């Protein structure tokens, strides 16, 4: 059926992202912070099977030769075929001449680092952070909103005002103050935990508001009073009956929070609360790529945006696909 | 109703003060202050001390906060260190620019996003898939990139001015048109992610509502599909969107800074960024307060709209 | 009701036709729309569109293609690239300059950011001017001057018949007033420090309304060069503010433009907050071109506030901007080159910059009191080893994309007058660096490739730099990678400006990588960097007395250099200062960029120079084609 195909596509995309992240050390030909000095903003090296003469070989690439350093223009060095090596050096595929003609599947960035490797390693960091933060936000916001919507009255008001306060306080100021009290060099794990908690706090109010609205109206429906009449406790009613009604809303919010958190990581790193330099992340990669010359001359630097799109699409299809199948289809 | 409104307004006022105070204190806690940023490295210690004394930055946080609070209750929010103008004049000026931008962006997003969401949620197939994919593309792009793409397109086509709010030489009488011409690009840049959010939420909610029995019942009675989609199913489906509408208004202000920076729109977002960079504590407090005002209005609007749309939530 | 009656008056056949046609339209409309709304269920598999919808689809695709084509094509046809081959410079026209932030004030004595400086250059004038191209002092408001034998007194003759932009005559009183305001403690002017020699003020006297006598507290070789900093402000406008102590906030951003009066080529006409400033020609400007034409050539100068570098670049490439107030970063070169090839932009390559980005360590005695790293972190050998370990050519290639040159000392060859031509070029020698580090106890004890001190503590320190400046972040990253190769671990932490300056000022850092530019090429004008008591003595700010004997030696040499009136002697002394500096390397320099600036093709008679404001330092001689 159409819906199953759609949700299966979503599952496939998300699974691919997960697999790439977990298998990053194997899949990536280089380390995330490995610089190739002469290859700043080099275009992607295309693996080929057929060379200029028309003869077929094992997959190979041509190296890049610098034709204009200041304008960062390169031309292919057709004189030398550089075959690819498989399953050597701890990676699935590599070029046989790593020092002068590395395999750059998605080109190199302005420091000369392999974009493909940074994409995979960065995906690990960013997706893990976004997933943890989004899930925490959902749990926190769902609980808050559920309780507020269920109990109503002063509790409702109090919780909603608290979420108002959190929402309006700009996160950058909090990050700024935090940076002052934290030690100078923060290990990546500490930064991860900090960012995840800040994002969870930032995302919870949106979830809480929507959940509260839905719970408030669902509460008056028949099935809720029926459950209550049967003796369900408040907690059971809330958790098992009312909150599941917010599933659709939460699914959509999740797919909106994930990209927002990935980007927010770059914003917070501006005030100093970001990952240390050798750690790649999609947010900072995109931030560095937000440059006019990139669009015209170095479009491969925008690959994190494409990757983010695929992941978010997959997430969206996965979370929203099944919900269609249960619906009455509008006959025409 | 009036008591409810009065309570909400009172809380809004409290929120504004709370957020301004928090911003002031947090900025003071951060490293560096206005003097170190403006005088740079080469300043003599005495010059720096004199400047700090002049701006009141040599006092402790508590003392400075108390002085500020004392003046703030009389609606005197201090002088911006960066621009040497009263915050009371500077912030509303810029906030008006951002309000116009936010209002137009909201209008565009609603007009574009909601109908698209209804269409996408009420049918299957290519159209729905295309709308959904476009929304996801826009959602997954960071706002910085979206505005940059639009600015780039504007530069290449020459249809829209690239930056600013007004042209240097405007024929008298054509100012409004010139302003609108400058407004389109930033408004679209701000509206796109918003429209995508609305579309996604609306489509999701629409899909759920269409699965309800009352829709089937209406169909059986012979109500046309169009009427069901656009009248009967739409009202309950608007619930989640109205719930976050107010939030969206409130966060549009602070979320607009990426757009404002890229298109040089002299608004509150730009001002906040400059104030933060310069550690201008009074301006920072003022901007945060303005953001709180917007959010308070937004949530009020949202709650009232929710009550209108869904009578069940009216208690 | 009335309408029905009216309708009844219409002859019957028409009536029927009208009703029939309305009904037909209704059916047709509903039919068409109903077909449009048909869901995919009724469409056969694989054929998604019916007949006329297919047409719509094709139309849509065509429309999209057209849009794409026009978007990918050129922008609005560029103005024909006019070359400036014509020798005659036409007066008139307007110039658009972009700045990144708004100026903080119209009062140059109160603000030191570069947009405020630009406003001062446009609207005010100084006693003398340093020609940034030749680095010579030119007469400006002062026609000529004589120095006394001992170098302590200078007498300047002011130009006669000069008036402010509002017609008020310019006299020596205005000069006296300006200096008084600069030195006033209530004002705490940003220029006060730069107008002092040896920490003491100058004495200004006005023997007659067109003569100024300046007495320096100690013999000062550069003499009137010092006066390039100070714009002469009108006494008749600002004296009341000085008297009641509000001078520091006088001429702030809310001042009406008509109040801003000056001796410069332009007058502020309009200020749109957050957007732009508009300047118009000052009809009473005193300067004329060599051929007798009244200056300035331009009618208007518009200073646009463009906060985003991308927008600035796009506008320049599209021809909507004429000049950017600042250098162009190397990353933008490709875009600008393309515009230049299209004839819309002119590029000037001005050679290597005046100074390179600097890496310095915290050499304050006792800064690392309890830290075990104190034993090696402040040693000369560490810095010399770093200088040997970094491949400067690769540094220039990576950080400046090849548009850079290796630099080995505090001055670059761009400073033709003062650069020590005997600067030793430290070779790239990682093995030698490792050997040098071994002499201070940093060796690889456990064979893991990383150096440790004898106690086992790893050789690790942090470099702080400024966030948001790609050149600095890239440079710090390159240093980190180069040092990793010899086994030293470096953490690069980027802060935003205010936090970084705070740390520098309070000496809470291991090392800093930053760009601290000096305002003048003559070292006597920037004593704060060279003297150990100076506030810009970056590695150990404002020492009460010199902490090391090489710093004491430099102090002594610089004191003589400032006072000596013999140019050859001054050069000799400063060469020696550079030698000692490079030997002990308190600050390390790796590479300096080539300065590249771009203007639109409309601009003629541009005089680009290697200075903070490469094109706008001489606004009255700029002209445009029109």
């Amino acid at each position: 059926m159409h819906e199953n195909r759609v949700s299966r596509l979503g599952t496939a995309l998300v699974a691919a992202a997960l697999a790439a992240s977990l298998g990053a050390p194997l899949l990536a030909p280089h380390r995330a912070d490995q610089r190739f000095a002469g290859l700043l903003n080099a275009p992607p090296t295309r693996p080929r099977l057929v060379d200029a003469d028309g003869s077929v070989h094992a997959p190979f690439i041509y190296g890049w030769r610098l034709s204009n350093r200041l304008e960062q223009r390169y031309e292919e060095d057709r004189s030398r075929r550089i075959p690819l090596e498989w399953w050597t050096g701890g990676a699935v595929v590599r070029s046989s001449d790593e020092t002068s003609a590395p395999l750059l599947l998605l080109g190199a960035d302005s420091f000369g680092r392999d974009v493909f490797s940074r994409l995979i390693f960065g995906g690990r960091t960013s997706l893990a952070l976004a997933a943890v933060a989004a899930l925490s936000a959902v749990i926190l916001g769902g609980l808050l909103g559920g309780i507020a919507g269920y109990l109503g009255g002063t509790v409702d008001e109090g919780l909603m005002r608290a979420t108002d306060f959190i929402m309006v306080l700009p996160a950058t100021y909090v990050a700024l103050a935090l940076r002052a009290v934290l030690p100078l060099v923060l290990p990546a794990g500490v930064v991860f935990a900090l960012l995840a908690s800040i994002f969870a706090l930032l995302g919870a109010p949106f979830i809480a508001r929507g959940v509260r609205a839905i719970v408030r109206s669902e509460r008056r429906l028949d099935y809720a009073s029926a459950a209550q009449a049967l003796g369900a406790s408040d907690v059971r009613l809330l958790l098992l009956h009312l909150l599941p009604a917010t599933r659709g809303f939460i699914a959509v919010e999740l797919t909106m929070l994930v990209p927002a958190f990935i980007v927010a990581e770059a914003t917070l790193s501006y005030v100093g609360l970001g990952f240390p330099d050798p750690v790649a992340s999609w947010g900072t990669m995109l931030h560095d790529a937000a440059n006019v010359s990139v669009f015209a001359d170095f479009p491969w630097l925008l690959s994190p945006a494409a990757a983010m799109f695929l992941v978010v699409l997959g997430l969206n299809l996965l979370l929203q696909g099944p919900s269609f199948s249960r619906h009455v289809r509008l006959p025409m | 109703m009036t008591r409810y409104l009065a309570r909400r307004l009172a809380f809004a006022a409290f929120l504004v003060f709370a957020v301004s105070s928090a911003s002031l204190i947090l900025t003071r806690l951060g490293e560096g202050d206005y003097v170190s940023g403006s005088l740079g490295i080469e300043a003599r210690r005495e010059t720096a001390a004199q400047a700090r004394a002049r701006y009141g930055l040599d006092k402790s946080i508590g003392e400075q906060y108390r002085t500020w609070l004392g003046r703030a209750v009389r609606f005197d929010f201090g002088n911006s260190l960066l621009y040497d103008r009263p915050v009371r004049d500077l912030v509303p000026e810029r906030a008006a620019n951002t309000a116009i931008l936010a209002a137009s962006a909201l209008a565009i997003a609603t007009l574009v996003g909601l109908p698209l969401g209804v269409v996408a949620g009420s049918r299957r197939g290519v159209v729905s898939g295309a709308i959904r994919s476009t929304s996801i593309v826009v959602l997954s792009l960071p706002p910085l990139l979206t505005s940059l793409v639009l600015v780039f397109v504007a530069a290449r086509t020459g249809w829209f001015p690239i930056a600013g709010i007004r042209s240097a030489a405007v024929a008298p009488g054509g100012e409004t048109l010139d302003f609108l011409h400058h407004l389109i690009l930033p408004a679209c840049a701000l509206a796109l992610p918003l429209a995508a959010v609305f579309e996604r939420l609306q489509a999701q909610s629409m899909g759920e509502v269409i699965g309800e029995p009352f829709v089937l019942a209406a169909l059986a009675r012979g109500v046309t599909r169009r009427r069901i989609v656009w009248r009967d199913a739409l009202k309950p489906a608007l619930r989640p969107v109205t719930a976050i509408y107010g939030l969206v208004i409130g966060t549009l202000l602070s979320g607009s800074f990426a757009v404002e920076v890229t298109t040089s729109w002299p608004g509150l977002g730009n001002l906040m960024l400059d104030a933060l960079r310069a550690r201008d504590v009074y301006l920072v407090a003022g901007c945060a307060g303005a953001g709180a005002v917007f959010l308070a209005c937004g949530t009020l609007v949202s709650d009232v709209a929710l009550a209108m749309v869904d009578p069940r939530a009216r208690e | 009701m009335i309408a029905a009656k009216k309708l009844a008056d219409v002859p019957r056949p028409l009536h029927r036709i009208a009703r029939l046609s309305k009904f037909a339209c209704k059916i047709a409309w509903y039919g068409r729309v109903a077909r449009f709304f048909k869901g995919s269920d009724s469409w056969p598999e694989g054929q998604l569109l019916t007949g006329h919808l297919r047409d719509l689809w094709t139309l849509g695709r065509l429309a999209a293609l057209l849009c794409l084509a026009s978007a990918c094509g050129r922008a609005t046809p560029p103005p024909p690239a006019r070359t400036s081959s014509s020798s005659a410079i036409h007066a008139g026209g307007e110039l658009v300059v972009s700045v990144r932030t708004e100026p903080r004030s119209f009062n140059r004595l109160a603000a030191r950011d570069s947009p405020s400086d630009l406003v001062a250059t446009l609207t005010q004038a100084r006693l003398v001017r340093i020609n940034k191209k030749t680095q010579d002092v030119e007469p400006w408001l002062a026609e000529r001057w004589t120095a006394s034998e001992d170098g302590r007194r200078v007498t300047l003759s002011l130009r006669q018949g000069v008036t402010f932009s509002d017609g008020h005559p310019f006299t020596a009183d205005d000069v006296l007033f300006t200096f008084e305001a600069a030195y006033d403690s209530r004002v705490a002017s940003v220029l006060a420090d730069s107008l002092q020699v040896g920490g003491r003020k100058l004495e200004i006297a006005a023997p007659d309304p067109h003569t100024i006598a300046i007495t320096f507290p100690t013999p000062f070789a550069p003499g009137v060069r010092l006066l390039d900093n100070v714009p002469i402000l009108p006494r008749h406008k600002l004296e009341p503010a000085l008297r009641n102590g509000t001078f520091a906030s006088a001429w702030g951003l809310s001042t009406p433009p008509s109040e801003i009066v000056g001796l410069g080529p332009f007058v502020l006409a309009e200020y749109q907050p957050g957007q732009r400033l508009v300047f118009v020609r000052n009809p009473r400007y005193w300067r004329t071109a060599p051929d007798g034409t009244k200056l300035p050539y331009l009618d208007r100068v518009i200073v646009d506030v463009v906060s985003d570098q991308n927008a600035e670049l796009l506008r320049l490439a599209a021809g909507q901007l004429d000049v950017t107030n600042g250098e162009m970063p190397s990353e933008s070169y490709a875009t600008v080159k393309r515009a230049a090839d299209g004839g819309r932009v002119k590029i000037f390559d001005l050679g290597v910059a005046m100074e390179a980005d600097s890496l310095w360590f915290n050499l304050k005695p006792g800064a690392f009191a309890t830290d075990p790293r104190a034993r090696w972190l402040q040693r000369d050998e560490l810095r010399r080893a770093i200088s040997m370990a970094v491949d400067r050519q690769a540094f220039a290639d990576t950080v400046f994309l090849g548009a850079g040159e290796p630099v080995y000392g505090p001055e670059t060859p761009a400073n033709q007058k003062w650069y020590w031509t005997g600067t030793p070029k430290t070779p790239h020698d990682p093995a030698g660096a490792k050997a040098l580090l071994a002499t201070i106890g940093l060796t690889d004890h456990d064979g893991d490739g990383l150096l440790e001190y004898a106690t086992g503590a790893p050789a690790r320190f942090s470099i702080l730099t400024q966030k948001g400046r790609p050149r600095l972040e890239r440079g710090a990253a390159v240093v980190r990678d180069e040092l990793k190769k010899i086994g030293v671990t470096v953490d690069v932490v980027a802060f935003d400006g205010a936090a970084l300056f705070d740390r520098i000022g309070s000496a809470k850092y291991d090392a800093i990588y930053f760009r601290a530019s000096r305002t003048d090429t003559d070292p006597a004008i920037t004593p704060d960097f060279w003297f150990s008591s100076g506030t810009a003595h970056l590695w150990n700010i404002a020492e009460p007395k010199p902490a090391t004997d090489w710093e004491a030696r430099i102090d002594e040499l610089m004191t003589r250099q400032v006072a000596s009136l013999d140019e050859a002697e001054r050069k000799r002394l400063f060469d020696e200062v550079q030698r000692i500096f490079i030997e002990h390397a308190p600050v390390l320099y790796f590479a300096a960029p080539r300065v590249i600036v771009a203007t639109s093709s409309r601009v003629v008679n541009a005089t680009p120079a290697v200075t903070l404001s490469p094109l706008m330092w001489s606004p009255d001689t700029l002209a445009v084609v029109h």
Side-chain angles (χ1 to χ4, degrees), chain C residues 458-471:
Chain C
R460 185 178 184 149
F461 63 92
S462 60
I463 296 184
L464 307 186
T465 186
Q466 190 175 7
K467 185 93 190 162
R469 294 177 69 168
R471 210 170 98 178

Side-chain angles (χ1 to χ4, degrees), chain B residues 14-15 59 68 83 124 152 156 169 196 200 202 224 235 265 281 294 298:
Chain B
F14 170 69
L15 185 71
K59 301 189 244 182
W68 179 81
Y83 296 108
R124 268 164 286 284
F152 188 68
R156 276 303 177 92
R200 282 284 82 220
Q202 190 58 31
T224 56
K235 254 190 126 184
W265 188 264
V281 281
F294 270 86

Side-chain angles (χ1 to χ4, degrees), chain B residues 143-155:
Chain B
L144 192 60
L145 221 52
T146 327
S147 34
L148 202 59
V149 166
L150 282 178
V151 167
F152 188 68
V153 165

Side-chain angles (χ1 to χ4, degrees), chain C residues 575-595:
Chain C
D575 283 350
E576 177 68 13
V577 166
Q578 288 180 67
R579 192 194 65 76
I580 300 178
F581 194 94
I582 294 172
E583 185 189 328
H584 293 273
V587 182
L588 290 168
Y589 302 89
F590 302 111
R594 279 217 318 273
V595 178

Side-chain angles (χ1 to χ4, degrees), chain C residues 80-86 343 346 601 603-604 625:
Chain C
R82 286 181 233 248
T83 55
S84 52
S85 53
S86 53
K346 274 193 287 203
S601 48
V603 176
V604 292
V625 177

